[in-house]
Amino acid sequence: MRFLSTYQTGARRCCTMLFQKNAKSIRATLMSTTAAAEESRKIVKEEVFELDGRKYTPDALYNLSPGVRRLLDRRILQESSNPLNLLKRRIVDYVHQTYRKPGNRSPLFTICESEPRVVTTYQNFDSLLTPEDHVSRRPSDTYYVNHEHCLRAHTSAHQHNLMQSGLDAFLVIGDVYRRDEVDRTHYPCFHQIEGVRLYSKDELLGKKPDGKNVAELFSTAASAATERSPEKQEKHTLDATKAAEIQLKQFLENLCDELFGKDAEKRWVDAYFPFTHPSWELEVFYNGQWLEVLGCGIMEQKLLESAGVTDKIGWAFGIGLERIAMVLYGIPDIRLFWSKDTGFLSQFAGKMPGEDVKYKQISAHPQVIFDISFFLPSTVQFNDMTSDVYDTIRTVGGELVEQVKLTDEFENKKKEKKSQTYRIVYRSHERALTKEEVNVIHKQIEQSLASSFGVTLR
Ligand code: FA5
Ligand code: MG
């Protein structure tokens, strides 16, 4: 949540609110002419709101716009050709390979991907020690279903329950929803990976040969530092805080190196969250500016205690997946993740999580789609034909061809006939193509295939 920015950008928020007032009066005058369009944007409150197999009763606080309802229905993180899915798999694979349980037999971190997206206000705010009057609780910032339930605004909403259920190391992955600003890097629905790791005294601080620990996790009245300071919480020793900070920053820096390479510029910035202290944000330099990609910190001991954990201390982080994917794949605008344009999705389909993919700007003009089907000469194998077809289409169609896909292939053994169908997506970067002009090029491709490779068009 904007736990840092909400405190720092009072001026901007005031401006935004003023601007919204203005916008409202303008809208009022437009109302009569655009009544139909407005109708489709109206908040529709049903008797029962159902999501992820659970039912809720909306009340006066309900503020889910039709736009956000549509976002809830599309699970882009589960779509295998979405870059966010590719990135998620890459991070999970890396964490599973790198962090193992003692004996190396199984992964250390449990992956939690199917937590319900409607959470209680206790989960989203109170369990995380968010102050009663904190701006993030306002209906202008959060999507409420009713007074007790909202759409999770961050994956941190699941920390308390998962620790309570006994997990010491876990990743929570999912879509989160905020009534946030709208620009190239902010969107009302985005995706986070939460990481939590709890340590016992032995795990964090090790043991001396005599079996004793070099330091303690918790400060006692006997040891002097039982006050909260910028460096640590009242209950923690400075040693334990520093040890956990090193573990946390190492985890995140290694992950960043794995994703962006060791040369990428990054920096730590002090931050504030109600549920961690001390806290930091990590920024990566991209497109001429510093981009905040994650927030993290040493977990508030009170949060652990309320979840029944009394003898451990821990760290937590929350990564914004879109921000990382934008840097990693060179995606310039957050809205592109929601594109259904095959010109976008085809660039990520079938890729392996570790593969280097750089996004190539797609054209804003419409696609024109044509299929080509033919029988192969009897002596030619399917595979050989495919590369020749791709080459020919590129040569004849040039820059107007955006994608080519083999969509069907079959062999009629009796008649000794092999057939293939390809789908060609034409699109220009400069202008909208007409069907007629594309048809001319398409015919040339067909002729070229027939004369050069002896295929029989169907
Ligand atoms: C949080 O959400 C905290 N829950 C993170 C955290 C977890 C801190 C655990 C400490 C311990 P924040 O609001 O800064 O913090 O969001 C985390 C990341 O999500 C940001 O760094 C950014 O990468 C991404 N993010 C935030 N808002 C948006 C948005 N509207 N659109 C896209 N990405 C966003
Ligand atoms: Mg932040």
Side-chain angles (χ1 to χ4, degrees):
M1 322 216 60
R2 298 192 303 265
F3 288 112
L4 181 68
S5 55
T6 31
Y7 287 104
Q8 291 191 331
T9 54
R12 184 192 61 73
R13 292 184 67 80
C14 281
C15 290
T16 314
M17 262 144 51
L18 269 178
F19 170 75
Q20 279 170 352
K21 242 189 203 160
N22 226 335
K24 259 185 200 148
S25 62
I26 295 169
R27 208 184 302 147
T29 47
L30 291 175
M31 249 322 245
S32 50
T33 47
T34 56
E38 279 293 310
E39 200 57 35
S40 69
R41 287 195 284 270
K42 257 196 195 146
I43 291 177
V44 184
K45 192 166 63 184
E46 292 132 12
E47 297 264 299
V48 178
F49 175 74
E50 196 171 341
L51 193 71
D52 303 333
R54 296 173 189 217
K55 289 180 177 157
Y56 310 89
T57 310
D59 67 13
L61 217 54
Y62 181 89
N63 62 355
L64 273 62
S65 61
V68 80
R69 294 288 302 265
R70 280 196 293 276
L71 296 179
L72 281 166
D73 291 339
R74 182 147 175 232
R75 312 298 301 270
I76 57 174
L77 198 57
Q78 261 90 284
E79 292 175 11
S80 63
S81 42
N82 195 289
L84 295 175
N85 178 280
L86 206 58
L87 175 59
K88 174 192 84 175
R89 286 186 281 143
R90 180 156 170 182
I91 295 177
V92 170
D93 288 354
Y94 165 77
V95 171
H96 274 347
Q97 273 159 26
T98 314
Y99 302 93
R100 316 282 297 175
K101 285 192 179 149
N104 197 26
R105 286 176 25 94
S106 58
L108 178 65
F109 284 83
T110 304
I111 309 296
C112 310
E113 283 195 88
S114 39
E115 299 304 308
R117 293 172 291 170
V118 172
V119 294
T120 60
T121 49
Y122 179 79
Q123 290 176 296
N124 202 62
F125 302 116
D126 305 271
S127 75
L128 295 160
L129 314 168
T130 307
E132 235 1 279
D133 58 353
H134 196 275
V135 289
S136 63
R137 292 184 186 252
R138 295 187 310 202
S140 59
D141 285 49
T142 296
Y143 288 107
Y144 281 93
V145 175
N146 57 35
H147 275 81
E148 268 136 34
H149 297 91
C150 61
L151 298 183
R152 64 179 168 204
H154 49 176
T155 40
S156 304
H158 303 294
Q159 280 188 12
H160 183 269
N161 285 111
L162 293 168
M163 286 193 295
Q164 208 168 33
S165 71
L167 294 180
D168 279 346
F170 55 87
L171 300 183
V172 191
I173 309 175
D175 40 349
V176 302
Y177 296 81
R178 288 186 201 176
R179 306 187 72 190
D180 214 332
E181 52 209 291
V182 177
D183 60 22
R184 272 186 330 103
T185 55
H186 292 82
Y187 204 73
C189 168
F190 62 99
H191 298 79
Q192 289 189 330
I193 294 190
E194 188 88 5
V196 168
R197 171 118 199 235
L198 307 182
Y199 298 88
S200 68
K201 182 158 73 172
D202 290 352
E203 282 166 341
L204 186 65
L205 301 166
K207 269 188 185 176
K208 290 191 288 189
D210 64 5
K212 293 200 179 111
N213 298 99
V214 260
E216 295 295 320
L217 289 183
F218 302 110
S219 57
T220 54
S223 65
T226 50
E227 279 121 49
R228 177 171 287 246
S229 70
E231 278 82 38
K232 68 169 207 74
Q233 297 169 32
E234 47 277 62
K235 297 211 170 123
H236 294 163
T237 64
L238 191 57
D239 287 329
T241 306
K242 285 287 169 205
E245 174 182 341
I246 290 169
Q247 295 286 334
L248 167 64
K249 288 188 171 172
Q250 240 169 32
F251 182 101
L252 292 168
E253 284 181 27
N254 289 345
L255 174 63
C256 269
D257 287 352
E258 160 72 17
L259 296 172
F260 304 125
K262 287 202 194 313
D263 296 334
E265 268 194 278
K266 48 188 182 299
R267 68 178 185 195
W268 287 106
V269 180
D270 286 335
Y272 165 78
F273 298 102
F275 35 93
T276 52
H277 181 75
S279 310
W280 303 274
E281 284 177 339
L282 184 64
E283 298 183 344
V284 175
F285 199 67
Y286 174 62
N287 259 353
Q289 62 174 34
W290 289 101
L291 189 66
E292 176 203 321
V293 295
L294 65 89
C296 66
I298 309 301
M299 298 173 84
E300 283 287 349
Q301 204 56 33
K302 216 173 138 192
L303 164 51
L304 268 63
E305 284 165 6
S306 76
V309 182
T310 52
D311 53 352
K312 293 179 179 170
I313 88 166
W315 51 245
F317 65 79
I319 301 181
L321 276 182
E322 277 81 352
R323 300 282 176 86
I324 303 253
M326 287 172 82
V327 180
L328 195 60
Y329 305 124
I331 297 171
D333 191 311
I334 196 164
R335 286 171 304 175
L336 278 164
F337 293 103
W338 294 84
S339 169
K340 289 181 181 164
D341 195 310
T342 56
F344 176 75
L345 294 172
S346 66
Q347 297 188 35
F348 300 95
K351 293 281 192 271
M352 297 301 289
E355 248 179 279
D356 251 340
V357 188
K358 277 287 173 253
Y359 167 68
K360 284 198 243 46
Q361 189 91 31
I362 53 165
S363 162
H365 299 294
Q367 301 174 331
V368 178
I369 300 170
F370 276 102
D371 287 342
I372 220 167
S373 298
F374 51 74
F375 293 113
L376 279 61
S378 56
T379 53
V380 175
Q381 298 310 308
F382 278 135
N383 248 344
D384 299 334
M385 193 70 234
T386 305
S387 353
D388 286 335
V389 170
Y390 287 155
D391 273 349
T392 306
I393 294 175
R394 257 279 155 258
T395 309
V396 180
E399 283 309 301
L400 297 184
V401 174
E402 185 187 80
Q403 304 163 51
V404 185
K405 207 172 173 185
L406 175 64
T407 50
D408 190 35
E409 194 169 68
F410 72 85
E411 183 165 12
N412 186 330
K413 285 250 161 68
K414 263 196 205 142
K415 293 189 179 156
E416 283 187 14
K417 281 202 158 176
K418 292 196 283 285
S419 158
Q420 283 183 329
T421 300
Y422 292 84
R423 170 150 291 184
I424 310 179
V425 179
Y426 297 91
R427 172 145 68 176
S428 159
H429 272 286
E430 281 93 41
R431 64 202 160 80
L433 298 172
T434 64
K435 278 212 165 109
E436 291 69 33
E437 66 181 310
V438 171
N439 198 30
V440 174
I441 301 162
H442 196 71
K443 283 269 170 314
Q444 286 169 2
I445 291 174
E446 288 182 340
Q447 277 157 17
S448 180
L449 285 173
S451 61
S452 310
F453 305 106
V455 306
T456 315
L457 295 159
R458 293 171 45 206

